[in-house]
Amino acid sequence: MTYRVTLIPGDGTGPEVVSATRLVLEATGVSFDWDIQEAGVDVMDRYGTPLPDSVLDSIRTNKVALKGPITTPIGHGFRSVNVAIRKALDLYANVRPARAMQGIAGSFEDVDLVMVRENTEGLYAGIEHDVIPNVAAESIRIITRAASERVVRFAFDYARAQKRRLVTAVHKANILKATDGLFLKVAREIAEEYPDIEFNDRIVDNMCMKLVQRPREYDVLVAPNLYGDIVSDLCSGLVGGLGVAPGANIGNDMAVFEPVHGSAPKYAGQNKVNPIATILSGALMLRHLGETSAAKQVETAVATVVADGRSVTYDLKPTRDDPTAVGTREMAEAIVSAMG
Ligand code: NAD
């Protein structure tokens, strides 16, 4: 069987980490027919948009995509292509596992967290405007029962399928009584449908402190969009940083796999950044395709290379300027060698 998969290299360091991931995925023996689609700042001039329709059409047809990060201008310019893809395809659950690996200095041992982030509304609805230019601006935060129900249900179904014990809803319902109040109310209702899974909730600021102090007490977290985005970066930091954090955007019949990190443009073209966030996103894709043993093969090889500590990128060395750090490509090649 050959899987036709939309492949979006992205921009900045995206093409480098995606190419490294292709190398590893193809080494599993699983057969891919890559439908390569360009998006991001580099295609603006050619197509007049950073997200040509052909990209969305390709994902709609193939149902599965592997995506590199894409730059979003800060404070001006086009809206995020990443957010636009998630919204256009209704990829409502953003799943971001953060699992400790042996050999990463400064990371917490035994941490095994999964953030399930609502991916289609909240502050990312992008409904904002100047009230008085340069004086006041307004952003509208949308929380609906329907979107909250499906993402919380996804978190519980995920917990059950992965044999996890606890789902924690993350919110700020003490202050945002209408919006987060609704999210929390819905989460409590859905929790009653899953008596086999424990449930609790935490206010987002307190959640951040607790994750830093006692991350092992938590398991699956579910949160509205913005908190999910921020807290998942915090979780990545507990286990080694953005270079190791994979992600998946899941809808009812489509899925797009991408690292948590962005395009890290300052390192673009330098063969420097860590490819394993994208490689592990590729392993999540293999699981999604039902290729469980290939997924395990990739995850085990990544863990072996990280634990060994020699063929790793700068971010996994004891100091950032360690001269023994290898490049993106070389780390991917070491992972392929470890696959035996
Ligand atoms: P970033 O994640 O690109 O990088 C922040 C820092 O994290 C980097 O400077 C680097 O030190 C480190 N880092 C990131 N990825 C790494 C890797 N693979 N290996 C080692 N270190 C790594 O965040 P940013 O600088 O805030 O954002 C850059 C651009 O990416 C922005 O335009 C932003 O909007 C975009 N972005 C895109 C996505 C996405 O495509 N899904 C996600 C987040 C940010």
Side-chain angles (χ1 to χ4, degrees):
M1 158 135 200
T2 296
Y3 296 101
R4 187 158 168 81
V5 172
T6 302
L7 188 75
I8 306 170
D11 56 33
T13 53
E16 297 161 61
V17 291
V18 166
S19 152
T21 300
R22 252 183 92 162
L23 190 77
V24 172
L25 293 182
E26 287 169 5
T28 62
V30 174
S31 172
F32 293 100
D33 173 14
W34 302 111
D35 179 5
I36 296 172
Q37 296 288 332
E38 291 180 276
V41 280
D42 301 342
V43 305
M44 272 293 278
D45 289 347
R46 246 178 303 150
Y47 299 97
T49 165
L51 181 58
D53 286 345
S54 53
V55 178
L56 294 175
D57 289 343
S58 165
I59 303 171
R60 285 191 186 101
T61 305
N62 297 326
K63 310 284 184 215
V64 58
L66 179 67
K67 176 185 162 297
I70 294 176
T71 305
T72 312
I74 296 174
H76 68 279
F78 60 79
R79 283 189 59 206
S80 163
V81 171
N82 315 302
V83 173
I85 291 174
R86 296 166 192 159
K87 203 161 160 58
L89 302 176
D90 203 23
L91 304 171
Y92 63 87
N94 187 190
V95 184
R96 296 179 156 186
R99 180 179 292 170
M101 278 186 278
Q102 234 196 321
I104 301 184
S107 72
F108 282 75
E109 276 174 34
D110 305 327
V111 169
D112 186 5
L113 296 160
V114 179
M115 168 56 78
V116 178
R117 163 191 175 191
E118 202 293 320
N119 222 9
T120 61
E121 59 176 28
L123 270 173
Y124 287 66
I127 307 169
E128 56 174 17
H129 61 273
D130 290 331
V131 178
I132 306 168
N134 293 320
V135 176
E138 184 175 59
S139 191
I140 296 175
R141 181 167 183 268
I142 311 275
I143 300 282
T144 64
R145 169 171 281 276
S148 303
E149 268 184 15
R150 66 180 179 172
V151 78
V152 173
R153 197 164 267 127
F154 180 98
F156 274 98
D157 286 339
Y158 179 94
R160 196 177 260 172
Q162 303 289 322
K163 304 202 180 343
R164 286 173 173 271
R165 67 181 170 86
L166 169 69
V167 171
T168 302
V170 183
H171 61 87
K172 188 80 186 174
N174 51 331
I175 304 295
L176 300 167
K177 293 180 195 292
T179 48
D180 280 3
L182 176 60
F183 181 83
L184 180 58
K185 181 172 190 294
V186 167
R188 286 179 172 150
E189 285 169 16
I190 303 285
E192 290 190 5
E193 296 172 22
Y194 295 82
D196 50 322
I197 311 279
E198 283 175 58
F199 172 75
N200 60 18
D201 69 273
R202 295 284 180 267
I203 293 173
V204 60
D205 37 352
N206 184 244
M207 179 85 262
C208 290
M209 187 204 68
K210 289 212 153 82
L211 283 171
V212 170
Q213 285 193 316
R214 290 190 293 277
R216 294 173 202 87
E217 288 181 11
Y218 296 91
D219 192 355
V220 176
L221 314 174
V222 62
N225 209 330
L226 180 65
Y227 311 144
D229 195 6
I230 296 170
V231 175
S232 62
D233 266 35
L234 188 157
C235 294
S236 307
L238 297 174
V239 298
L242 287 172
V244 304
N249 301 286
I250 311 280
N252 283 333
D253 63 346
M254 278 176 265
V256 175
F257 297 84
E258 64 177 339
V260 170
H261 67 74
S263 55
K266 70 180 178 194
Y267 295 130
Q270 295 177 30
N271 187 38
K272 183 171 171 90
V273 296
N274 192 335
I276 68 178
T278 314
I279 291 171
L280 292 175
S281 304
L284 293 177
M285 183 180 81
L286 287 169
R287 275 181 203 282
H288 175 81
L289 294 170
E291 297 287 349
T292 313
S293 64
K296 280 192 190 139
Q297 190 189 11
V298 170
E299 288 159 355
T300 306
V302 166
T304 304
V305 169
V306 170
D308 177 71
R310 277 175 296 175
S311 297
V312 297
T313 43
Y314 77 99
D315 56 311
L316 298 187
K317 291 288 186 182
T319 59
R320 297 257 148 168
D321 53 0
D322 189 319
T324 65
V326 304
T328 308
R329 187 79 187 171
E330 291 68 32
M331 187 164 180
E333 285 166 357
I335 291 165
V336 170
S337 300
M339 283 161 68

